[in-house]
Amino acid sequence: MSLKAISSKDAASLDKDLMSIGGWSLDQLMELAGLSVSQAVWRVHPLSAGKNVLVVCGPGNNGGDGLVAARHLAQYGYTPSVYYPKEGKNELYQRLKTQLHNLSVPFVPDFTEALKSTNFIVDAIFGFSFGGPLREPFPSIISQIESTSVPVLSVDAPSSWDIESGPPKEGPGAKFMPQTLISLTAPKPCVKYYQGRHFLGGRFLTKEILEKYGLDCPEYPGIDQIVEVGVNTEGRL
Amino acid sequence: MSLKAISSKDAASLDKDLMSIGGWSLDQLMELAGLSVSQAVWRVHPLSAGKNVLVVCGPGNNGGDGLVAARHLAQYGYTPSVYYPKEGKNELYQRLKTQLHNLSVPFVPDFTEALKSTNFIVDAIFGFSFGGPLREPFPSIISQIESTSVPVLSVDAPSSWDIESGPPKEGPGAKFMPQTLISLTAPKPCVKYYQGRHFLGGRFLTKEILEKYGLDCPEYPGIDQIVEVGVNTEGRL
């Protein structure tokens, strides 16, 4: 299945539409986005594959989706940890942190140390608004995620990739290829450089929004908040 | 499975805890509550049983859960309608209405008429804060829901029932027995008068909250937002 991609600019505009004429709050959208991320983790990395999931969160909404996903993963029986080196300022992120604290989900201070004992990584560092360059501590984090043998699921885009032009030509992320990608609401243009399992999440769009942005609406099965849209085999790395 | 019940007073206090020390917003809690309601509908009334679902919403948070459920049902492929005769004042309800309008979910003005073409009813009229008496137009609505042959799922409590002492001794609701009940966070005391399929929803409690209120935590299967806690056969009606 080849889905139409949405540009960074249009993705920002779509979010704005949802939160104005759409009647959505960021709390609601992030709840469903993070829920879909947690369902993708469950699909590709069941509990039997190892319960330790390290969720790496960036300072923006991509990181917020990761925080929500970590909460759901804890409820499913995983033992998630969160690495959140640059906290976002939105009060919502603080509340999501509180929710995780109340579930005894640890916020780990040392990524390298946490990496040693994890079975799976959720890359919720940067999403569609990433414009580079990587700032500390992320170059080192991306390098480690890039070279680890632990499987990685990226949220919306592999972090460090340009949303339009894909992986950087050199430096951290140049060879980063997560095993799984979940695109939220629609794939971003950089998906054409991606090879691996690909899911779509964000089951809240309306026909009108899909039409306005010229997006496809693959059929979500049953009550799932995700749909697998195929294994991309044509990444151009 | 017999679960401990939570009193109306404690349920209100629990909600308050979630939204203060818990870090939750009403938007988030209602999203997950409504999602769990929609999953229970999917379980007891699959699409093949008829897509027309009439969601009857009261003026408070129970009605809000119904509005969220209606949205998810629309995404699952049902054709829900909403009857919402006394709208709540919270701005969240207005936004939930907007979300439903954008999905072309109709708000129907005439319950009796809507009842004729529906395959299933979601009773989201009153929840744990109901203290009676029924005010117009609800006595007539409850009477019709009570006597219809269309299957009904009640959210948190069969509407018109006293949260502690169950069905009213006479008048509308005295013989109301929905086929399905979904209790949110924990059963209310009136569950002892209930006969039928019984689900629990609200997969967001922490160990601390469960302990504070002396509640059980049945194991939710997989990534489900609901767990069936058995068929109550001992209703004392």
PDB file of all heavy atoms in Angstrom, chain A residues 21-25 27-28 42 71 75 95 98-99 102 203 205 223, chain B residues 21-25 27-28 42 71 75 95 98-99 102 203 205 223:
ATOM      1  N   ILE A  21     -11.258  24.345  14.284  1.00  0.00           N
ATOM      2  CA  ILE A  21     -12.568  23.911  13.786  1.00  0.00           C
ATOM      3  C   ILE A  21     -12.878  22.460  14.151  1.00  0.00           C
ATOM      4  O   ILE A  21     -14.026  22.057  14.187  1.00  0.00           O
ATOM      5  CB  ILE A  21     -12.682  24.086  12.243  1.00  0.00           C
ATOM      6  CG1 ILE A  21     -11.501  23.422  11.534  1.00  0.00           C
ATOM      7  CG2 ILE A  21     -12.756  25.560  11.870  1.00  0.00           C
ATOM      8  CD1 ILE A  21     -11.644  23.402  10.007  1.00  0.00           C
ATOM      9  N   GLY A  22     -11.850  21.669  14.456  1.00  0.00           N
ATOM     10  CA  GLY A  22     -12.068  20.258  14.780  1.00  0.00           C
ATOM     11  C   GLY A  22     -12.596  20.017  16.182  1.00  0.00           C
ATOM     12  O   GLY A  22     -13.167  18.969  16.465  1.00  0.00           O
ATOM     13  N   GLY A  23     -12.396  20.978  17.071  1.00  0.00           N
ATOM     14  CA  GLY A  23     -12.888  20.831  18.440  1.00  0.00           C
ATOM     15  C   GLY A  23     -12.009  19.969  19.332  1.00  0.00           C
ATOM     16  O   GLY A  23     -12.400  19.641  20.452  1.00  0.00           O
ATOM     17  N   TRP A  24     -10.839  19.601  18.862  1.00  0.00           N
ATOM     18  CA  TRP A  24      -9.959  18.723  19.644  1.00  0.00           C
ATOM     19  C   TRP A  24      -9.062  19.536  20.580  1.00  0.00           C
ATOM     20  O   TRP A  24      -8.611  20.626  20.229  1.00  0.00           O
ATOM     21  CB  TRP A  24      -9.063  17.911  18.719  1.00  0.00           C
ATOM     22  CG  TRP A  24      -9.788  16.841  17.967  1.00  0.00           C
ATOM     23  CD1 TRP A  24     -10.476  16.972  16.796  1.00  0.00           C
ATOM     24  CD2 TRP A  24      -9.903  15.463  18.341  1.00  0.00           C
ATOM     25  NE1 TRP A  24     -11.010  15.761  16.428  1.00  0.00           N
ATOM     26  CE2 TRP A  24     -10.673  14.820  17.355  1.00  0.00           C
ATOM     27  CE3 TRP A  24      -9.427  14.713  19.423  1.00  0.00           C
ATOM     28  CZ2 TRP A  24     -10.974  13.458  17.408  1.00  0.00           C
ATOM     29  CZ3 TRP A  24      -9.730  13.361  19.472  1.00  0.00           C
ATOM     30  CH2 TRP A  24     -10.497  12.750  18.480  1.00  0.00           C
ATOM     31  N   SER A  25      -8.760  18.932  21.726  1.00  0.00           N
ATOM     32  CA  SER A  25      -7.712  19.492  22.577  1.00  0.00           C
ATOM     33  C   SER A  25      -6.432  18.697  22.336  1.00  0.00           C
ATOM     34  O   SER A  25      -6.474  17.558  21.854  1.00  0.00           O
ATOM     35  CB  SER A  25      -8.100  19.401  24.053  1.00  0.00           C
ATOM     36  OG  SER A  25      -8.153  18.042  24.475  1.00  0.00           O
ATOM     37  N   ASP A  27      -4.670  17.432  24.611  1.00  0.00           N
ATOM     38  CA  ASP A  27      -4.777  16.270  25.505  1.00  0.00           C
ATOM     39  C   ASP A  27      -5.419  15.077  24.798  1.00  0.00           C
ATOM     40  O   ASP A  27      -4.961  13.942  24.925  1.00  0.00           O
ATOM     41  CB  ASP A  27      -5.654  16.602  26.723  1.00  0.00           C
ATOM     42  CG  ASP A  27      -4.914  17.397  27.782  1.00  0.00           C
ATOM     43  OD1 ASP A  27      -4.277  18.404  27.422  1.00  0.00           O
ATOM     44  OD2 ASP A  27      -4.972  17.002  28.957  1.00  0.00           O
ATOM     45  N   GLN A  28      -6.501  15.342  24.081  1.00  0.00           N
ATOM     46  CA  GLN A  28      -7.218  14.251  23.404  1.00  0.00           C
ATOM     47  C   GLN A  28      -6.387  13.664  22.267  1.00  0.00           C
ATOM     48  O   GLN A  28      -6.264  12.447  22.122  1.00  0.00           O
ATOM     49  CB  GLN A  28      -8.544  14.774  22.832  1.00  0.00           C
ATOM     50  CG  GLN A  28      -9.560  15.170  23.895  1.00  0.00           C
ATOM     51  CD  GLN A  28     -10.756  15.894  23.298  1.00  0.00           C
ATOM     52  OE1 GLN A  28     -10.626  16.665  22.342  1.00  0.00           O
ATOM     53  NE2 GLN A  28     -11.931  15.663  23.863  1.00  0.00           N
ATOM     54  N   TRP A  42       3.025  -3.198  20.970  1.00  0.00           N
ATOM     55  CA  TRP A  42       2.427  -4.497  21.315  1.00  0.00           C
ATOM     56  C   TRP A  42       2.452  -5.442  20.107  1.00  0.00           C
ATOM     57  O   TRP A  42       2.713  -6.628  20.240  1.00  0.00           O
ATOM     58  CB  TRP A  42       0.986  -4.264  21.783  1.00  0.00           C
ATOM     59  CG  TRP A  42       0.203  -5.503  22.043  1.00  0.00           C
ATOM     60  CD1 TRP A  42      -0.606  -6.179  21.173  1.00  0.00           C
ATOM     61  CD2 TRP A  42       0.140  -6.249  23.273  1.00  0.00           C
ATOM     62  NE1 TRP A  42      -1.159  -7.273  21.770  1.00  0.00           N
ATOM     63  CE2 TRP A  42      -0.724  -7.342  23.058  1.00  0.00           C
ATOM     64  CE3 TRP A  42       0.729  -6.088  24.528  1.00  0.00           C
ATOM     65  CZ2 TRP A  42      -1.013  -8.274  24.061  1.00  0.00           C
ATOM     66  CZ3 TRP A  42       0.438  -7.023  25.518  1.00  0.00           C
ATOM     67  CH2 TRP A  42      -0.421  -8.103  25.285  1.00  0.00           C
ATOM     68  N   ARG A  71       2.880   5.251  29.338  1.00  0.00           N
ATOM     69  CA  ARG A  71       1.831   4.975  30.330  1.00  0.00           C
ATOM     70  C   ARG A  71       0.993   3.765  29.936  1.00  0.00           C
ATOM     71  O   ARG A  71       0.725   2.877  30.741  1.00  0.00           O
ATOM     72  CB  ARG A  71       0.950   6.219  30.512  1.00  0.00           C
ATOM     73  CG  ARG A  71      -0.367   5.921  31.216  1.00  0.00           C
ATOM     74  CD  ARG A  71      -1.017   7.116  31.849  1.00  0.00           C
ATOM     75  NE  ARG A  71      -1.160   8.289  31.016  1.00  0.00           N
ATOM     76  CZ  ARG A  71      -2.015   8.418  29.992  1.00  0.00           C
ATOM     77  NH1 ARG A  71      -2.801   7.406  29.651  1.00  0.00           N
ATOM     78  NH2 ARG A  71      -2.093   9.560  29.327  1.00  0.00           N
ATOM     79  N   GLN A  75       0.518  -0.094  31.640  1.00  0.00           N
ATOM     80  CA  GLN A  75      -0.764  -0.752  31.924  1.00  0.00           C
ATOM     81  C   GLN A  75      -0.845  -2.125  31.257  1.00  0.00           C
ATOM     82  O   GLN A  75      -1.510  -3.034  31.756  1.00  0.00           O
ATOM     83  CB  GLN A  75      -1.945   0.125  31.463  1.00  0.00           C
ATOM     84  CG  GLN A  75      -2.146   1.399  32.273  1.00  0.00           C
ATOM     85  CD  GLN A  75      -2.782   1.167  33.646  1.00  0.00           C
ATOM     86  OE1 GLN A  75      -3.104   0.048  34.023  1.00  0.00           O
ATOM     87  NE2 GLN A  75      -2.942   2.240  34.419  1.00  0.00           N
ATOM     88  N   ARG A  95       2.050  17.016  33.417  1.00  0.00           N
ATOM     89  CA  ARG A  95       1.004  16.125  33.916  1.00  0.00           C
ATOM     90  C   ARG A  95       1.242  14.686  33.458  1.00  0.00           C
ATOM     91  O   ARG A  95       1.020  13.737  34.208  1.00  0.00           O
ATOM     92  CB  ARG A  95      -0.376  16.629  33.497  1.00  0.00           C
ATOM     93  CG  ARG A  95      -0.794  17.896  34.262  1.00  0.00           C
ATOM     94  CD  ARG A  95      -2.259  18.244  34.078  1.00  0.00           C
ATOM     95  NE  ARG A  95      -2.560  18.792  32.763  1.00  0.00           N
ATOM     96  CZ  ARG A  95      -3.111  18.116  31.781  1.00  0.00           C
ATOM     97  NH1 ARG A  95      -3.462  16.839  31.940  1.00  0.00           N
ATOM     98  NH2 ARG A  95      -3.348  18.693  30.618  1.00  0.00           N
ATOM     99  N   THR A  98       3.725  13.254  35.723  1.00  0.00           N
ATOM    100  CA  THR A  98       3.100  12.894  37.002  1.00  0.00           C
ATOM    101  C   THR A  98       2.389  11.543  36.894  1.00  0.00           C
ATOM    102  O   THR A  98       2.500  10.685  37.778  1.00  0.00           O
ATOM    103  CB  THR A  98       2.082  13.984  37.414  1.00  0.00           C
ATOM    104  OG1 THR A  98       2.787  15.219  37.565  1.00  0.00           O
ATOM    105  CG2 THR A  98       1.367  13.632  38.702  1.00  0.00           C
ATOM    106  N   GLN A  99       1.655  11.367  35.794  1.00  0.00           N
ATOM    107  CA  GLN A  99       0.937  10.103  35.597  1.00  0.00           C
ATOM    108  C   GLN A  99       1.915   8.925  35.593  1.00  0.00           C
ATOM    109  O   GLN A  99       1.620   7.855  36.137  1.00  0.00           O
ATOM    110  CB  GLN A  99       0.152  10.151  34.285  1.00  0.00           C
ATOM    111  CG  GLN A  99      -1.008  11.147  34.327  1.00  0.00           C
ATOM    112  CD  GLN A  99      -1.602  11.429  32.947  1.00  0.00           C
ATOM    113  OE1 GLN A  99      -1.349  10.698  31.990  1.00  0.00           O
ATOM    114  NE2 GLN A  99      -2.395  12.478  32.831  1.00  0.00           N
ATOM    115  N   ASN A 102       3.295   8.200  39.062  1.00  0.00           N
ATOM    116  CA  ASN A 102       2.304   7.485  39.876  1.00  0.00           C
ATOM    117  C   ASN A 102       2.199   6.008  39.512  1.00  0.00           C
ATOM    118  O   ASN A 102       1.652   5.207  40.269  1.00  0.00           O
ATOM    119  CB  ASN A 102       0.935   8.159  39.748  1.00  0.00           C
ATOM    120  CG  ASN A 102       0.908   9.530  40.424  1.00  0.00           C
ATOM    121  OD1 ASN A 102       1.810   9.856  41.195  1.00  0.00           O
ATOM    122  ND2 ASN A 102      -0.101  10.330  40.129  1.00  0.00           N
ATOM    123  N   ARG A 203      -6.440   7.493  14.583  1.00  0.00           N
ATOM    124  CA  ARG A 203      -7.739   7.179  13.983  1.00  0.00           C
ATOM    125  C   ARG A 203      -8.771   8.213  14.416  1.00  0.00           C
ATOM    126  O   ARG A 203      -9.690   7.909  15.180  1.00  0.00           O
ATOM    127  CB  ARG A 203      -8.160   5.775  14.439  1.00  0.00           C
ATOM    128  CG  ARG A 203      -9.308   5.208  13.653  1.00  0.00           C
ATOM    129  CD  ARG A 203      -9.644   3.792  14.089  1.00  0.00           C
ATOM    130  NE  ARG A 203     -10.683   3.227  13.231  1.00  0.00           N
ATOM    131  CZ  ARG A 203     -11.141   1.997  13.329  1.00  0.00           C
ATOM    132  NH1 ARG A 203     -10.670   1.176  14.227  1.00  0.00           N
ATOM    133  NH2 ARG A 203     -12.095   1.575  12.501  1.00  0.00           N
ATOM    134  N   LEU A 205      -9.265  11.208  12.063  1.00  0.00           N
ATOM    135  CA  LEU A 205      -9.480  12.174  10.981  1.00  0.00           C
ATOM    136  C   LEU A 205     -10.885  12.055  10.409  1.00  0.00           C
ATOM    137  O   LEU A 205     -11.519  11.006  10.476  1.00  0.00           O
ATOM    138  CB  LEU A 205      -8.446  11.966   9.878  1.00  0.00           C
ATOM    139  CG  LEU A 205      -6.993  12.190  10.293  1.00  0.00           C
ATOM    140  CD1 LEU A 205      -6.070  12.123   9.090  1.00  0.00           C
ATOM    141  CD2 LEU A 205      -6.809  13.522  11.008  1.00  0.00           C
ATOM    142  N   ILE A 223     -11.439  -2.526  16.011  1.00  0.00           N
ATOM    143  CA  ILE A 223     -11.340  -1.388  16.920  1.00  0.00           C
ATOM    144  C   ILE A 223      -9.892  -0.942  17.073  1.00  0.00           C
ATOM    145  O   ILE A 223      -9.565  -0.157  17.976  1.00  0.00           O
ATOM    146  CB  ILE A 223     -11.931  -1.729  18.311  1.00  0.00           C
ATOM    147  CG1 ILE A 223     -11.214  -2.939  18.928  1.00  0.00           C
ATOM    148  CG2 ILE A 223     -13.418  -1.998  18.210  1.00  0.00           C
ATOM    149  CD1 ILE A 223     -11.647  -3.225  20.360  1.00  0.00           C
TER     150      ILE A 223
ATOM    151  N   ILE B  21      -3.715  15.242  42.207  1.00  0.00           N
ATOM    152  CA  ILE B  21      -2.417  14.565  42.346  1.00  0.00           C
ATOM    153  C   ILE B  21      -2.140  13.596  41.201  1.00  0.00           C
ATOM    154  O   ILE B  21      -0.999  13.267  40.924  1.00  0.00           O
ATOM    155  CB  ILE B  21      -2.307  13.808  43.693  1.00  0.00           C
ATOM    156  CG1 ILE B  21      -3.511  12.881  43.904  1.00  0.00           C
ATOM    157  CG2 ILE B  21      -2.203  14.783  44.853  1.00  0.00           C
ATOM    158  CD1 ILE B  21      -3.376  11.966  45.114  1.00  0.00           C
ATOM    159  N   GLY B  22      -3.192  13.157  40.510  1.00  0.00           N
ATOM    160  CA  GLY B  22      -2.992  12.195  39.415  1.00  0.00           C
ATOM    161  C   GLY B  22      -2.458  12.814  38.138  1.00  0.00           C
ATOM    162  O   GLY B  22      -1.929  12.118  37.278  1.00  0.00           O
ATOM    163  N   GLY B  23      -2.637  14.129  37.971  1.00  0.00           N
ATOM    164  CA  GLY B  23      -2.143  14.791  36.773  1.00  0.00           C
ATOM    165  C   GLY B  23      -3.033  14.627  35.550  1.00  0.00           C
ATOM    166  O   GLY B  23      -2.637  14.988  34.440  1.00  0.00           O
ATOM    167  N   TRP B  24      -4.219  14.087  35.730  1.00  0.00           N
ATOM    168  CA  TRP B  24      -5.108  13.852  34.588  1.00  0.00           C
ATOM    169  C   TRP B  24      -5.980  15.072  34.306  1.00  0.00           C
ATOM    170  O   TRP B  24      -6.404  15.777  35.219  1.00  0.00           O
ATOM    171  CB  TRP B  24      -6.033  12.670  34.878  1.00  0.00           C
ATOM    172  CG  TRP B  24      -5.343  11.345  34.849  1.00  0.00           C
ATOM    173  CD1 TRP B  24      -4.660  10.765  35.882  1.00  0.00           C
ATOM    174  CD2 TRP B  24      -5.247  10.447  33.753  1.00  0.00           C
ATOM    175  NE1 TRP B  24      -4.153   9.560  35.476  1.00  0.00           N
ATOM    176  CE2 TRP B  24      -4.501   9.328  34.187  1.00  0.00           C
ATOM    177  CE3 TRP B  24      -5.735  10.460  32.439  1.00  0.00           C
ATOM    178  CZ2 TRP B  24      -4.223   8.249  33.345  1.00  0.00           C
ATOM    179  CZ3 TRP B  24      -5.463   9.388  31.618  1.00  0.00           C
ATOM    180  CH2 TRP B  24      -4.709   8.295  32.059  1.00  0.00           C
ATOM    181  N   SER B  25      -6.297  15.267  33.040  1.00  0.00           N
ATOM    182  CA  SER B  25      -7.320  16.242  32.675  1.00  0.00           C
ATOM    183  C   SER B  25      -8.621  15.489  32.422  1.00  0.00           C
ATOM    184  O   SER B  25      -8.611  14.281  32.141  1.00  0.00           O
ATOM    185  CB  SER B  25      -6.921  17.011  31.419  1.00  0.00           C
ATOM    186  OG  SER B  25      -6.904  16.149  30.292  1.00  0.00           O
ATOM    187  N   ASP B  27     -10.393  15.836  29.834  1.00  0.00           N
ATOM    188  CA  ASP B  27     -10.308  15.408  28.432  1.00  0.00           C
ATOM    189  C   ASP B  27      -9.707  14.007  28.299  1.00  0.00           C
ATOM    190  O   ASP B  27     -10.200  13.171  27.541  1.00  0.00           O
ATOM    191  CB  ASP B  27      -9.414  16.365  27.627  1.00  0.00           C
ATOM    192  CG  ASP B  27     -10.131  17.648  27.229  1.00  0.00           C
ATOM    193  OD1 ASP B  27     -10.747  18.267  28.098  1.00  0.00           O
ATOM    194  OD2 ASP B  27     -10.059  18.008  26.038  1.00  0.00           O
ATOM    195  N   GLN B  28      -8.623  13.784  29.035  1.00  0.00           N
ATOM    196  CA  GLN B  28      -7.951  12.486  28.943  1.00  0.00           C
ATOM    197  C   GLN B  28      -8.793  11.367  29.537  1.00  0.00           C
ATOM    198  O   GLN B  28      -8.956  10.297  28.938  1.00  0.00           O
ATOM    199  CB  GLN B  28      -6.604  12.538  29.689  1.00  0.00           C
ATOM    200  CG  GLN B  28      -5.574  13.446  29.041  1.00  0.00           C
ATOM    201  CD  GLN B  28      -4.360  13.659  29.952  1.00  0.00           C
ATOM    202  OE1 GLN B  28      -4.478  13.711  31.172  1.00  0.00           O
ATOM    203  NE2 GLN B  28      -3.187  13.782  29.342  1.00  0.00           N
ATOM    204  N   TRP B  42     -18.660  -2.822  20.821  1.00  0.00           N
ATOM    205  CA  TRP B  42     -18.090  -3.696  19.780  1.00  0.00           C
ATOM    206  C   TRP B  42     -18.165  -5.163  20.195  1.00  0.00           C
ATOM    207  O   TRP B  42     -18.469  -6.046  19.396  1.00  0.00           O
ATOM    208  CB  TRP B  42     -16.640  -3.275  19.517  1.00  0.00           C
ATOM    209  CG  TRP B  42     -15.886  -4.159  18.582  1.00  0.00           C
ATOM    210  CD1 TRP B  42     -15.111  -5.231  18.902  1.00  0.00           C
ATOM    211  CD2 TRP B  42     -15.832  -4.053  17.144  1.00  0.00           C
ATOM    212  NE1 TRP B  42     -14.571  -5.782  17.769  1.00  0.00           N
ATOM    213  CE2 TRP B  42     -14.997  -5.093  16.681  1.00  0.00           C
ATOM    214  CE3 TRP B  42     -16.402  -3.172  16.216  1.00  0.00           C
ATOM    215  CZ2 TRP B  42     -14.710  -5.282  15.323  1.00  0.00           C
ATOM    216  CZ3 TRP B  42     -16.122  -3.358  14.867  1.00  0.00           C
ATOM    217  CH2 TRP B  42     -15.303  -4.395  14.427  1.00  0.00           C
ATOM    218  N   ARG B  71     -18.220   8.904  18.954  1.00  0.00           N
ATOM    219  CA  ARG B  71     -17.163   9.229  17.983  1.00  0.00           C
ATOM    220  C   ARG B  71     -16.370   7.993  17.599  1.00  0.00           C
ATOM    221  O   ARG B  71     -16.127   7.738  16.413  1.00  0.00           O
ATOM    222  CB  ARG B  71     -16.248  10.319  18.551  1.00  0.00           C
ATOM    223  CG  ARG B  71     -14.939  10.450  17.777  1.00  0.00           C
ATOM    224  CD  ARG B  71     -14.241  11.768  17.980  1.00  0.00           C
ATOM    225  NE  ARG B  71     -14.095  12.226  19.341  1.00  0.00           N
ATOM    226  CZ  ARG B  71     -13.222  11.720  20.236  1.00  0.00           C
ATOM    227  NH1 ARG B  71     -12.453  10.694  19.919  1.00  0.00           N
ATOM    228  NH2 ARG B  71     -13.149  12.246  21.447  1.00  0.00           N
ATOM    229  N   GLN B  75     -15.987   5.842  13.940  1.00  0.00           N
ATOM    230  CA  GLN B  75     -14.716   5.432  13.323  1.00  0.00           C
ATOM    231  C   GLN B  75     -14.680   3.920  13.071  1.00  0.00           C
ATOM    232  O   GLN B  75     -14.043   3.465  12.126  1.00  0.00           O
ATOM    233  CB  GLN B  75     -13.518   5.847  14.198  1.00  0.00           C
ATOM    234  CG  GLN B  75     -13.264   7.358  14.284  1.00  0.00           C
ATOM    235  CD  GLN B  75     -12.623   7.946  13.012  1.00  0.00           C
ATOM    236  OE1 GLN B  75     -12.336   7.247  12.044  1.00  0.00           O
ATOM    237  NE2 GLN B  75     -12.422   9.254  13.017  1.00  0.00           N
ATOM    238  N   ARG B  95     -17.041  20.817  22.511  1.00  0.00           N
ATOM    239  CA  ARG B  95     -16.014  20.348  21.573  1.00  0.00           C
ATOM    240  C   ARG B  95     -16.297  18.920  21.107  1.00  0.00           C
ATOM    241  O   ARG B  95     -16.096  18.576  19.946  1.00  0.00           O
ATOM    242  CB  ARG B  95     -14.628  20.472  22.197  1.00  0.00           C
ATOM    243  CG  ARG B  95     -14.163  21.939  22.313  1.00  0.00           C
ATOM    244  CD  ARG B  95     -12.696  22.061  22.648  1.00  0.00           C
ATOM    245  NE  ARG B  95     -12.398  21.721  24.027  1.00  0.00           N
ATOM    246  CZ  ARG B  95     -11.851  20.583  24.430  1.00  0.00           C
ATOM    247  NH1 ARG B  95     -11.513  19.660  23.552  1.00  0.00           N
ATOM    248  NH2 ARG B  95     -11.622  20.377  25.706  1.00  0.00           N
ATOM    249  N   THR B  98     -18.783  19.160  18.455  1.00  0.00           N
ATOM    250  CA  THR B  98     -18.159  19.588  17.201  1.00  0.00           C
ATOM    251  C   THR B  98     -17.486  18.407  16.496  1.00  0.00           C
ATOM    252  O   THR B  98     -17.617  18.229  15.279  1.00  0.00           O
ATOM    253  CB  THR B  98     -17.108  20.686  17.485  1.00  0.00           C
ATOM    254  OG1 THR B  98     -17.776  21.792  18.084  1.00  0.00           O
ATOM    255  CG2 THR B  98     -16.403  21.129  16.222  1.00  0.00           C
ATOM    256  N   GLN B  99     -16.769  17.605  17.283  1.00  0.00           N
ATOM    257  CA  GLN B  99     -16.092  16.447  16.691  1.00  0.00           C
ATOM    258  C   GLN B  99     -17.099  15.509  16.023  1.00  0.00           C
ATOM    259  O   GLN B  99     -16.826  14.942  14.957  1.00  0.00           O
ATOM    260  CB  GLN B  99     -15.299  15.696  17.774  1.00  0.00           C
ATOM    261  CG  GLN B  99     -14.131  16.499  18.337  1.00  0.00           C
ATOM    262  CD  GLN B  99     -13.543  15.907  19.601  1.00  0.00           C
ATOM    263  OE1 GLN B  99     -13.810  14.756  19.953  1.00  0.00           O
ATOM    264  NE2 GLN B  99     -12.733  16.677  20.299  1.00  0.00           N
ATOM    265  N   ASN B 102     -18.466  16.981  12.791  1.00  0.00           N
ATOM    266  CA  ASN B 102     -17.494  16.844  11.699  1.00  0.00           C
ATOM    267  C   ASN B 102     -17.427  15.428  11.135  1.00  0.00           C
ATOM    268  O   ASN B 102     -16.906  15.221  10.037  1.00  0.00           O
ATOM    269  CB  ASN B 102     -16.098  17.278  12.184  1.00  0.00           C
ATOM    270  CG  ASN B 102     -16.034  18.775  12.427  1.00  0.00           C
ATOM    271  OD1 ASN B 102     -16.902  19.529  11.984  1.00  0.00           O
ATOM    272  ND2 ASN B 102     -15.005  19.224  13.132  1.00  0.00           N
ATOM    273  N   ARG B 203      -8.976   1.870  32.163  1.00  0.00           N
ATOM    274  CA  ARG B 203      -7.689   1.217  32.469  1.00  0.00           C
ATOM    275  C   ARG B 203      -6.630   2.285  32.710  1.00  0.00           C
ATOM    276  O   ARG B 203      -5.713   2.475  31.895  1.00  0.00           O
ATOM    277  CB  ARG B 203      -7.306   0.330  31.271  1.00  0.00           C
ATOM    278  CG  ARG B 203      -6.172  -0.615  31.568  1.00  0.00           C
ATOM    279  CD  ARG B 203      -5.872  -1.522  30.381  1.00  0.00           C
ATOM    280  NE  ARG B 203      -4.847  -2.498  30.750  1.00  0.00           N
ATOM    281  CZ  ARG B 203      -4.415  -3.464  29.952  1.00  0.00           C
ATOM    282  NH1 ARG B 203      -4.931  -3.596  28.744  1.00  0.00           N
ATOM    283  NH2 ARG B 203      -3.464  -4.298  30.342  1.00  0.00           N
ATOM    284  N   LEU B 205      -6.074   3.342  36.370  1.00  0.00           N
ATOM    285  CA  LEU B 205      -5.846   3.482  37.811  1.00  0.00           C
ATOM    286  C   LEU B 205      -4.443   3.018  38.195  1.00  0.00           C
ATOM    287  O   LEU B 205      -3.841   2.194  37.521  1.00  0.00           O
ATOM    288  CB  LEU B 205      -6.900   2.705  38.594  1.00  0.00           C
ATOM    289  CG  LEU B 205      -8.336   3.179  38.400  1.00  0.00           C
ATOM    290  CD1 LEU B 205      -9.273   2.443  39.344  1.00  0.00           C
ATOM    291  CD2 LEU B 205      -8.460   4.690  38.613  1.00  0.00           C
ATOM    292  N   ILE B 223      -4.242  -5.568  25.119  1.00  0.00           N
ATOM    293  CA  ILE B 223      -4.303  -4.112  25.050  1.00  0.00           C
ATOM    294  C   ILE B 223      -5.733  -3.604  25.200  1.00  0.00           C
ATOM    295  O   ILE B 223      -6.024  -2.445  24.940  1.00  0.00           O
ATOM    296  CB  ILE B 223      -3.706  -3.595  23.719  1.00  0.00           C
ATOM    297  CG1 ILE B 223      -4.439  -4.183  22.512  1.00  0.00           C
ATOM    298  CG2 ILE B 223      -2.219  -3.932  23.630  1.00  0.00           C
ATOM    299  CD1 ILE B 223      -3.991  -3.597  21.175  1.00  0.00           C
TER     300      ILE B 223
END
